[in-house]
Amino acid sequence: MRSDISVIAWDFDGVLNRNVVDRRFIWADTLESDLGIALDAFERGVFDASFLQVISGKRDIKTHLQDWLDRSGYLLDAGDLLDYWFAKDDLRDPFTCSLLEHLTSHDVVQVIATNNEDRRSSYIEHQSGFGSLVSQIFSSGRIKSAKPDTAFFVHVSDTLKVAPSEILLIDDSATNVRVAKALGWKGFHFTEETRLELASFLEL
């Protein structure tokens, strides 16, 4: 393991959670057949301009979903939709999670640094079990700031009391990696093309 890294900050969706394939969230592949909700309508209505307020913890996702369901005429409770969404979206990546578990025997702190609101962050922490695998889960909903905002990265390094140069961000967003590196962090852009290079990058 590289001696110049004391903290690994794992992104969640697209890295530890393999729920993105060919740039689509595969949890929603059966949304229409299971719940009668058209995917294009869901994406337009839920992931609108106001969704940044949800991700950054300024608006509750359950309220956001219920408002959209009511406007769209779907006779479905937002809590039931969230339960479905979170369970279907729980797709642990065997490769990255095996690296995470392997690294627990090394002298490195591991955290999750994710753009998720608080309800899903709690699901990741408890139901998905990542709370027992990492030291801390830093989420945009809890920090009230989302990557790539510099405030997110500053919060992580300040909370951990670690110099930015000792922190490695592993993220599937090139923008997030670029901003982290500009702040002095190390970065690894995780993609389908680079995923098998991660172990050698970490000198494992």
Side-chain angles (χ1 to χ4, degrees), residues 134-150:
V134 297
S135 298
Q136 193 165 344
I137 294 178
F138 292 97
S139 72
S140 55
R142 295 172 177 177
I143 295 173
K144 310 300 183 189
S145 177
K147 296 179 292 182
D149 289 349
T150 58

PDB file of all heavy atoms in Angstrom, residues 134-150:
ATOM      1  N   VAL A 134     -16.363   1.118   6.824  1.00  0.00           N
ATOM      2  CA  VAL A 134     -15.571   2.346   6.718  1.00  0.00           C
ATOM      3  C   VAL A 134     -15.650   3.112   8.035  1.00  0.00           C
ATOM      4  O   VAL A 134     -16.525   2.874   8.869  1.00  0.00           O
ATOM      5  CB  VAL A 134     -16.072   3.244   5.562  1.00  0.00           C
ATOM      6  CG1 VAL A 134     -15.907   2.535   4.230  1.00  0.00           C
ATOM      7  CG2 VAL A 134     -17.526   3.665   5.774  1.00  0.00           C
ATOM      8  N   SER A 135     -14.711   4.035   8.204  1.00  0.00           N
ATOM      9  CA  SER A 135     -14.672   4.816   9.442  1.00  0.00           C
ATOM     10  C   SER A 135     -15.803   5.825   9.517  1.00  0.00           C
ATOM     11  O   SER A 135     -16.302   6.122  10.608  1.00  0.00           O
ATOM     12  CB  SER A 135     -13.331   5.550   9.544  1.00  0.00           C
ATOM     13  OG  SER A 135     -12.262   4.645   9.597  1.00  0.00           O
ATOM     14  N   GLN A 136     -16.193   6.371   8.369  1.00  0.00           N
ATOM     15  CA  GLN A 136     -17.222   7.410   8.365  1.00  0.00           C
ATOM     16  C   GLN A 136     -17.818   7.526   6.973  1.00  0.00           C
ATOM     17  O   GLN A 136     -17.157   7.233   5.975  1.00  0.00           O
ATOM     18  CB  GLN A 136     -16.604   8.762   8.780  1.00  0.00           C
ATOM     19  CG  GLN A 136     -17.609   9.840   9.100  1.00  0.00           C
ATOM     20  CD  GLN A 136     -16.983  11.013   9.853  1.00  0.00           C
ATOM     21  OE1 GLN A 136     -15.881  10.890  10.386  1.00  0.00           O
ATOM     22  NE2 GLN A 136     -17.665  12.135   9.900  1.00  0.00           N
ATOM     23  N   ILE A 137     -19.081   7.935   6.916  1.00  0.00           N
ATOM     24  CA  ILE A 137     -19.732   8.211   5.640  1.00  0.00           C
ATOM     25  C   ILE A 137     -19.991   9.709   5.559  1.00  0.00           C
ATOM     26  O   ILE A 137     -20.756  10.266   6.354  1.00  0.00           O
ATOM     27  CB  ILE A 137     -21.040   7.421   5.484  1.00  0.00           C
ATOM     28  CG1 ILE A 137     -20.726   5.916   5.400  1.00  0.00           C
ATOM     29  CG2 ILE A 137     -21.801   7.872   4.234  1.00  0.00           C
ATOM     30  CD1 ILE A 137     -21.940   5.021   5.281  1.00  0.00           C
ATOM     31  N   PHE A 138     -19.302  10.345   4.623  1.00  0.00           N
ATOM     32  CA  PHE A 138     -19.513  11.770   4.359  1.00  0.00           C
ATOM     33  C   PHE A 138     -20.472  11.876   3.180  1.00  0.00           C
ATOM     34  O   PHE A 138     -20.166  11.435   2.075  1.00  0.00           O
ATOM     35  CB  PHE A 138     -18.190  12.447   4.001  1.00  0.00           C
ATOM     36  CG  PHE A 138     -17.206  12.536   5.131  1.00  0.00           C
ATOM     37  CD1 PHE A 138     -16.194  11.599   5.252  1.00  0.00           C
ATOM     38  CD2 PHE A 138     -17.287  13.558   6.064  1.00  0.00           C
ATOM     39  CE1 PHE A 138     -15.269  11.666   6.281  1.00  0.00           C
ATOM     40  CE2 PHE A 138     -16.368  13.638   7.109  1.00  0.00           C
ATOM     41  CZ  PHE A 138     -15.357  12.691   7.219  1.00  0.00           C
ATOM     42  N   SER A 139     -21.626  12.434   3.411  1.00  0.00           N
ATOM     43  CA  SER A 139     -22.611  12.562   2.335  1.00  0.00           C
ATOM     44  C   SER A 139     -23.032  14.016   2.181  1.00  0.00           C
ATOM     45  O   SER A 139     -23.039  14.787   3.150  1.00  0.00           O
ATOM     46  CB  SER A 139     -23.835  11.690   2.597  1.00  0.00           C
ATOM     47  OG  SER A 139     -24.624  12.216   3.640  1.00  0.00           O
ATOM     48  N   SER A 140     -23.392  14.360   0.963  1.00  0.00           N
ATOM     49  CA  SER A 140     -23.775  15.742   0.672  1.00  0.00           C
ATOM     50  C   SER A 140     -24.985  16.174   1.494  1.00  0.00           C
ATOM     51  O   SER A 140     -25.084  17.332   1.905  1.00  0.00           O
ATOM     52  CB  SER A 140     -24.069  15.891  -0.822  1.00  0.00           C
ATOM     53  OG  SER A 140     -25.045  14.945  -1.238  1.00  0.00           O
ATOM     54  N   GLY A 141     -25.904  15.234   1.737  1.00  0.00           N
ATOM     55  CA  GLY A 141     -27.084  15.585   2.516  1.00  0.00           C
ATOM     56  C   GLY A 141     -26.766  15.944   3.948  1.00  0.00           C
ATOM     57  O   GLY A 141     -27.443  16.772   4.558  1.00  0.00           O
ATOM     58  N   ARG A 142     -25.728  15.336   4.493  1.00  0.00           N
ATOM     59  CA  ARG A 142     -25.323  15.625   5.871  1.00  0.00           C
ATOM     60  C   ARG A 142     -24.417  16.851   5.949  1.00  0.00           C
ATOM     61  O   ARG A 142     -24.499  17.630   6.892  1.00  0.00           O
ATOM     62  CB  ARG A 142     -24.627  14.401   6.462  1.00  0.00           C
ATOM     63  CG  ARG A 142     -25.558  13.196   6.599  1.00  0.00           C
ATOM     64  CD  ARG A 142     -24.817  11.934   6.989  1.00  0.00           C
ATOM     65  NE  ARG A 142     -25.743  10.813   7.173  1.00  0.00           N
ATOM     66  CZ  ARG A 142     -25.365   9.572   7.451  1.00  0.00           C
ATOM     67  NH1 ARG A 142     -24.072   9.272   7.562  1.00  0.00           N
ATOM     68  NH2 ARG A 142     -26.272   8.621   7.609  1.00  0.00           N
ATOM     69  N   ILE A 143     -23.547  16.999   4.936  1.00  0.00           N
ATOM     70  CA  ILE A 143     -22.611  18.116   4.921  1.00  0.00           C
ATOM     71  C   ILE A 143     -23.314  19.407   4.490  1.00  0.00           C
ATOM     72  O   ILE A 143     -22.868  20.500   4.815  1.00  0.00           O
ATOM     73  CB  ILE A 143     -21.445  17.797   3.963  1.00  0.00           C
ATOM     74  CG1 ILE A 143     -20.628  16.620   4.492  1.00  0.00           C
ATOM     75  CG2 ILE A 143     -20.549  19.007   3.747  1.00  0.00           C
ATOM     76  CD1 ILE A 143     -19.563  16.120   3.538  1.00  0.00           C
ATOM     77  N   LYS A 144     -24.428  19.266   3.757  1.00  0.00           N
ATOM     78  CA  LYS A 144     -25.171  20.391   3.172  1.00  0.00           C
ATOM     79  C   LYS A 144     -24.387  21.024   2.025  1.00  0.00           C
ATOM     80  O   LYS A 144     -24.532  22.218   1.727  1.00  0.00           O
ATOM     81  CB  LYS A 144     -25.521  21.470   4.222  1.00  0.00           C
ATOM     82  CG  LYS A 144     -26.178  20.950   5.475  1.00  0.00           C
ATOM     83  CD  LYS A 144     -27.479  20.235   5.203  1.00  0.00           C
ATOM     84  CE  LYS A 144     -28.155  19.783   6.480  1.00  0.00           C
ATOM     85  NZ  LYS A 144     -29.315  18.910   6.266  1.00  0.00           N
ATOM     86  N   SER A 145     -23.568  20.221   1.387  1.00  0.00           N
ATOM     87  CA  SER A 145     -22.810  20.670   0.224  1.00  0.00           C
ATOM     88  C   SER A 145     -22.486  19.442  -0.608  1.00  0.00           C
ATOM     89  O   SER A 145     -22.174  18.383  -0.058  1.00  0.00           O
ATOM     90  CB  SER A 145     -21.525  21.372   0.655  1.00  0.00           C
ATOM     91  OG  SER A 145     -20.750  21.751  -0.463  1.00  0.00           O
ATOM     92  N   ALA A 146     -22.569  19.574  -1.929  1.00  0.00           N
ATOM     93  CA  ALA A 146     -22.374  18.424  -2.809  1.00  0.00           C
ATOM     94  C   ALA A 146     -21.110  18.582  -3.650  1.00  0.00           C
ATOM     95  O   ALA A 146     -20.759  19.693  -4.066  1.00  0.00           O
ATOM     96  CB  ALA A 146     -23.584  18.256  -3.730  1.00  0.00           C
ATOM     97  N   LYS A 147     -20.434  17.452  -3.878  1.00  0.00           N
ATOM     98  CA  LYS A 147     -19.329  17.472  -4.836  1.00  0.00           C
ATOM     99  C   LYS A 147     -19.864  17.972  -6.184  1.00  0.00           C
ATOM    100  O   LYS A 147     -20.987  17.620  -6.547  1.00  0.00           O
ATOM    101  CB  LYS A 147     -18.761  16.055  -5.016  1.00  0.00           C
ATOM    102  CG  LYS A 147     -18.132  15.440  -3.798  1.00  0.00           C
ATOM    103  CD  LYS A 147     -17.624  14.020  -4.070  1.00  0.00           C
ATOM    104  CE  LYS A 147     -18.755  13.033  -4.327  1.00  0.00           C
ATOM    105  NZ  LYS A 147     -18.281  11.640  -4.536  1.00  0.00           N
ATOM    106  N   PRO A 148     -19.119  18.787  -6.901  1.00  0.00           N
ATOM    107  CA  PRO A 148     -17.723  19.156  -6.706  1.00  0.00           C
ATOM    108  C   PRO A 148     -17.488  20.453  -5.934  1.00  0.00           C
ATOM    109  O   PRO A 148     -16.411  21.054  -6.071  1.00  0.00           O
ATOM    110  CB  PRO A 148     -17.234  19.303  -8.150  1.00  0.00           C
ATOM    111  CG  PRO A 148     -18.420  19.864  -8.872  1.00  0.00           C
ATOM    112  CD  PRO A 148     -19.624  19.195  -8.237  1.00  0.00           C
ATOM    113  N   ASP A 149     -18.453  20.919  -5.144  1.00  0.00           N
ATOM    114  CA  ASP A 149     -18.227  22.126  -4.355  1.00  0.00           C
ATOM    115  C   ASP A 149     -17.007  21.941  -3.454  1.00  0.00           C
ATOM    116  O   ASP A 149     -16.860  20.899  -2.798  1.00  0.00           O
ATOM    117  CB  ASP A 149     -19.442  22.453  -3.484  1.00  0.00           C
ATOM    118  CG  ASP A 149     -20.633  22.948  -4.301  1.00  0.00           C
ATOM    119  OD1 ASP A 149     -20.450  23.224  -5.501  1.00  0.00           O
ATOM    120  OD2 ASP A 149     -21.740  23.047  -3.729  1.00  0.00           O
ATOM    121  N   THR A 150     -16.172  22.944  -3.396  1.00  0.00           N
ATOM    122  CA  THR A 150     -14.962  22.832  -2.575  1.00  0.00           C
ATOM    123  C   THR A 150     -15.306  22.642  -1.105  1.00  0.00           C
ATOM    124  O   THR A 150     -14.536  22.006  -0.372  1.00  0.00           O
ATOM    125  CB  THR A 150     -14.073  24.073  -2.742  1.00  0.00           C
ATOM    126  OG1 THR A 150     -14.820  25.245  -2.387  1.00  0.00           O
ATOM    127  CG2 THR A 150     -13.593  24.213  -4.172  1.00  0.00           C
TER     128      THR A 150
END
